[in-house]
Amino acid sequence: MPRRSAVAYAVFALGAGALGEVIGLKAVFFWVLVVLLVVDGAFCGLLHRTYPADVRAVRQEPAARNARSSL
């Protein structure tokens, strides 16, 4: 059974190749390498804003679980 990443790469390569024939490889590289990476960076930046609260919640969970189990 092929790995999901290999299948995803194959689908991406076929899609990018087909799209490259329609709109040109420069446009495909621009949209994939520039636009999608900027969008991904913005999304990761938004997730980074929630990180301190998430860490606090994860660190408090064992104590809350222990308190519930002692009841």
Side-chain angles (χ1 to χ4, degrees), residues 2 10 25 29 36 38-39 49 58 62:
L25 285 177
F29 276 104
L36 287 180
V38 167
V39 169
R49 293 182 59 113
V58 168

Side-chain angles (χ1 to χ4, degrees), residues 1-2 12 18 48 50 58 61 63 67:
M1 179 170 193
F12 172 77
H48 187 70
T50 66
V58 168
E61 180 61 27

